[in-house]
Amino acid sequence: MADEDDRPAGGAYASPPCFMHELQSGFAASDSDPQARADIMRWRKAERQRLIEARLAVPAAERSAMAGAIATHLDAAIGDPAGRRLSLYWPFRGEPDLRAFAADFMRRGGTLALPVVVEKAAPLVFRDWRPGMKLEKGVWNIPVPPAAPAVIPDIVISPVVGFDPANYRLGYGGGFFDRTLAALPARPTVIGVGYAAAAIATIYPQPHDIAMDFIVTEAGRAGQ
């Protein structure tokens, strides 16, 4: 599946990624400026690759320890799980593995969900999930609940490739997460999760980008 960020919005790119520092950090290209938007999307693609390679280079044991610290900070930020539904994610390409945290959340009275891609350029669907449930391969071979009931979460944990001080998330470029938040009948608490090393000065947010409520890393709560 091609990343949306990889598609030029009107012709060849004018600027290589290394020139993006010449734009102001709050710069947001509009649909009326396709060349500027194309440059930003190209920069995002390069930055995404750099950050993923960097986290995959961290030893697995170190990533596991950081995931444990993230879980501790998440627990403090979320509070009592009783009667609340948490949407998590299945760890992918070096993302923090929070499945033990999810199991503990459920043991203490919460319920769980996993996001599922149902079609391209459409919002995600959240499906009921619990540890031990039989899963099937979804997009990118990520395990998903098979035809489990759709649910609406109270809290959404979203993995980040990168994040900025304004709580904007650099993801994989498919646009699924922003579409999903825009389509929900009521906004849940949205928490971005990643490693502290994924902090960047800005993602150059675009009009469709939606900021997280806050970011949690192994160092604690980040962003505004």
Side-chain angles (χ1 to χ4, degrees), residues 76-103:
I78 292 172
D80 186 4
R84 305 167 80 186
R85 184 176 292 275
L86 174 75
S87 172
L88 209 65
Y89 60 89
W90 199 267
F92 175 68
R93 301 188 73 184
E95 292 169 343
D97 186 348
L98 299 175
R99 286 175 290 182
F101 168 77

Side-chain angles (χ1 to χ4, degrees), residues 78-202:
I78 292 172
D80 186 4
R84 305 167 80 186
R85 184 176 292 275
L86 174 75
S87 172
L88 209 65
Y89 60 89
W90 199 267
F92 175 68
R93 301 188 73 184
E95 292 169 343
D97 186 348
L98 299 175
R99 286 175 290 182
F101 168 77
D104 184 64
F105 186 92
M106 190 168 188
R107 279 194 298 269
R108 293 188 289 144
T111 53
L112 303 170
L114 284 177
V116 179
V117 176
V118 290
E119 62 179 294
K120 188 176 181 180
L124 299 163
V125 169
F126 297 100
R127 288 183 181 165
D128 183 62
W129 170 68
R130 63 200 62 207
M133 176 184 286
K134 185 177 180 179
L135 303 176
E136 63 185 19
K137 289 183 179 180
V139 175
W140 299 305
N141 290 323
I142 298 173
V144 298
V151 296
I152 302 295
D154 302 298
I155 306 161
V156 173
I157 306 296
S158 180
V160 304
V161 175
F163 65 94
D164 69 16
N167 298 335
Y168 281 102
R169 164 188 181 269
L170 179 66
Y172 292 102
F176 292 105
F177 187 74
D178 295 313
R179 288 192 200 93
T180 303
L181 290 182
L184 288 174
R187 177 175 167 122
T189 299
V190 185
I191 306 171
V193 161
Y195 305 115
I200 55 179
T202 181

